[in-house]
Amino acid sequence: MDIDTATRVFLRVAETESFSATAKQMGLGQPAVSKMISSLEDHLGSRLLQRTTRSLTLTEEGRTFAENARHAVEMMDHALDSVRETRGRITGTLRLATVPAFARLHMIPKTAEFLQVHPELKVELVLSDGIPNLVEEGIDLHIHFGPITEKGLIARRIGDAPFLLFGVKSYLDRRGRPQTPEDLAAHDFIGFTGRGNDRNWQLTHQGKEHTVAIHSRVKINNSDAIREAVIAGLGLAFAPAWLFADYRTGGDIEMLMSAYKSKSLDMYAVYPARRYVPPKVRAAIDFLEQSYKSHSMFTANETGLLC
């Protein structure tokens, strides 16, 4: 039995509490995972996991072994990676999660540049408009917009996501271009179902706050689809500036009421809290921060206009 591999499999099972999730993350068959755990238990002469038809839990011996083994594995990885780093090598596969629209518009174009810098590294993008479970899904890094509420995570702020008002020329020619918060009452909006209560929107202009009641005639749970709905003329949308990054290039999308400041979400690089952060994660965070933190599309000045 390969003790190192079996131990790593056990640690992943301890984190995910699932043989099937571990098998999927590590590219193994579920029977192989079960067999390795059983062999490891036989080798140690102790039961590490308590198995039922519905759950897996660590025994007292399993918790002790997991704590010590995790530290040992991290130290071994650190030793191996330190040698690779001295030779300018960052290897492995980086599982990177974010929302599909952000990946399509901003992440994928940057990925090619990132991989040129690190030719031995591979990237696997995990795309969802929901919030992933980083441990259960084996995700190394998540680009997240908004507050971090989950425990056991470390978040590094790498930029802003200012929200602005967008519409398509055909809709605006037909319904008019709003100039003040009061004008918005006459317009249809595209809402995001994952944002909670978006019936009231806060705007600030010259130090004065305006609460705007908006009517979301269409609600969608996907950022890419919101963009397409705006382009199709279904209504206006308060959306992060990066979603309509091409509005300045002379297309049909227009930014509206730019003197009014709306909300802005912090943009974070989020990863599981561990003693040792792999070089591939550190390299990705540094690259993304350099790429986005000072970029005009991810910065809002005090008037709400993009810098």
Side-chain angles (χ1 to χ4, degrees):
M1 181 184 60
D2 183 341
I3 294 294
D4 178 70
T5 300
T7 299
R8 291 174 186 272
V9 169
F10 165 73
L11 290 175
R12 189 60 60 87
V13 170
E15 289 182 333
T16 63
E17 298 180 353
S18 169
F19 281 177
S20 60
T22 297
K24 182 178 180 181
Q25 289 178 20
M26 303 190 75
L28 300 170
Q30 186 170 333
V33 171
S34 180
K35 183 177 179 180
M36 272 192 271
I37 297 299
S38 295
S39 296
L40 182 61
E41 289 177 325
D42 290 342
H43 179 76
L44 296 174
S46 295
R47 176 73 68 179
L48 301 177
L49 293 168
Q50 185 65 45
R51 304 160 176 82
T52 69
T53 56
R54 295 185 177 181
S55 65
L56 291 172
T57 57
L58 291 173
T59 63
E60 183 177 352
E61 292 86 353
R63 286 192 295 271
T64 300
F65 179 70
E67 181 178 351
N68 293 327
R70 185 174 293 110
H71 181 62
V73 167
E74 288 178 352
M75 292 303 295
M76 177 60 71
D77 287 341
H78 178 49
L80 295 172
D81 287 334
S82 64
V83 174
R84 296 188 183 107
E85 281 190 280
T86 60
R87 300 173 59 188
R89 297 173 57 198
I90 294 181
T91 62
T93 298
L94 177 74
R95 282 176 57 84
L96 179 61
T98 191
V99 297
F102 184 77
R104 181 176 62 84
L105 295 168
H106 301 284
M107 187 68 69
I108 291 175
K110 285 292 181 182
T111 299
E113 183 180 342
F114 180 57
L115 292 179
Q116 285 181 345
V117 178
H118 304 290
E120 295 184 62
L121 186 65
K122 299 177 182 178
V123 171
E124 182 179 341
L125 293 177
V126 182
L127 306 181
S128 171
D129 275 292
I131 300 175
N133 186 310
L134 273 60
V135 172
E136 288 188 1
E137 298 180 42
I139 292 170
D140 297 304
L141 190 63
H142 177 214
I143 305 306
H144 177 79
F145 300 92
I148 306 296
T149 58
E150 294 81 3
K151 296 181 180 179
L153 301 176
I154 296 176
R156 178 164 154 186
R157 187 175 177 276
I158 60 174
D160 291 303
F163 276 63
L164 301 169
L165 182 60
F166 295 94
V168 71
K169 182 178 184 300
S170 59
Y171 172 91
L172 297 170
D173 288 344
R174 184 174 72 253
R175 300 285 295 272
R177 288 165 174 77
Q179 304 296 322
T180 68
E182 291 72 23
D183 294 339
L184 297 177
H187 288 271
D188 295 326
F189 282 82
I190 312 299
F192 180 49
T193 54
R195 193 178 296 147
N197 181 11
D198 62 354
R199 290 177 294 180
N200 296 317
W201 203 265
Q202 303 297 322
L203 297 173
T204 303
H205 178 55
Q206 296 180 347
K208 183 179 179 180
E209 293 188 358
H210 303 264
T211 300
V212 180
I214 62 175
H215 171 58
S216 295
R217 191 175 184 185
V218 176
K219 283 193 172 185
I220 306 174
N221 67 346
N222 176 272
S223 300
D224 255 325
I226 289 176
R227 173 185 164 91
E228 293 305 310
V230 171
I231 292 173
L234 293 178
L236 308 179
F238 282 105
W242 58 258
L243 187 59
F244 294 96
D246 52 356
Y247 83 94
R248 288 180 171 178
T249 60
D252 290 335
I253 295 295
E254 299 181 20
M255 185 177 73
L256 307 163
M257 296 176 57
S258 59
Y260 288 82
K261 184 178 180 180
S262 182
K263 72 176 182 180
S264 179
L265 295 179
D266 289 326
M267 178 180 175
Y268 292 104
V270 185
Y271 54 97
R274 295 191 175 103
R275 292 188 183 94
Y276 173 61
V277 181
K280 62 184 180 181
V281 174
R282 288 188 276 114
I285 294 174
D286 291 342
F287 178 83
L288 293 171
E289 183 176 31
Q290 184 178 6
S291 299
Y292 298 129
K293 197 168 186 177
S294 61
H295 194 288
S296 62
M297 194 55 60
F298 303 96
T299 308
N301 65 23
E302 62 184 8
T303 66
L305 286 168
L306 291 181
C307 298

